[in-house]
Amino acid sequence: MESDAGGERMQRNYNSSGIILGNPNNPQPIWPTIDGSLGLSEDDSLSYARSFFKFGFFLLPWLWAVNCFFFWPVLCHYSSFPRIRKYVLGSAIGFVVFTVVLSSWALTFSIGGERLFGPTFDTLVMYNVADRFGLTDESVNSSNKLGSKLAVEIASVASSLLRALDIVTIAF
């Protein structure tokens, strides 16, 4: 017997395999994972849900989305699997917060651009990294920096390696 949110006592119904049944009149089991009877037991599900939730904090928020997808039945049936539900619900909240923050940052950066950030915008963007280090064709031809010479040497070696690879490929 377990207590539900209203304080009333409810009894969980189990079949002979230890699977939780949703309604005593309907013997259809409520599985914690989307793959139903092929999925994990409740204890294994708890372990996976906890792991996905915790690893989501280590800059892997896509695991929160995976957690929500894999344990979708737990989100749909609010009274089933309370030990698993707190991790899945936490993952759903974390993923929504992460998505809102990332979307806000991306939209602010792309819409605001140079008008919003001013002269600092050029140091924030990544599309001009090659120009800064002199690795583009224009900068290689127009400057005699050490970085430019290095870029030319790397391109020359890469070209030689590709020609050697072509010769070896043709030979075989």
Side-chain angles (χ1 to χ4, degrees), residues 33-52:
T33 59
I34 58 169
D35 47 1
S37 63
L38 299 174
L40 304 169
S41 68
E42 187 173 356
D43 292 332
D44 289 341
S45 295
L46 177 63
S47 172
Y48 276 90
R50 185 184 304 124
S51 297
F52 285 160

Side-chain angles (χ1 to χ4, degrees), residues 1-5 10 12 14 20 30 32 42 46 49-50 73-75 77-90:
M1 303 264 289
E2 294 183 9
S3 176
D4 66 358
M10 65 179 235
R12 283 219 167 153
Y14 295 89
I20 298 174
I30 299 174
E42 187 173 356
L46 177 63
R50 185 184 304 124
V74 174
L75 284 177
H77 302 280
Y78 64 92
S79 62
S80 64
F81 307 106
R83 295 185 315 160
I84 299 171
R85 184 170 172 75
K86 64 181 176 183
Y87 295 112
V88 178
L89 193 59

Side-chain angles (χ1 to χ4, degrees), residues 50-61:
R50 185 184 304 124
S51 297
F52 285 160
F53 177 70
K54 288 180 181 178
F55 285 127
F57 287 104
F58 294 108
L59 300 177
L60 299 170

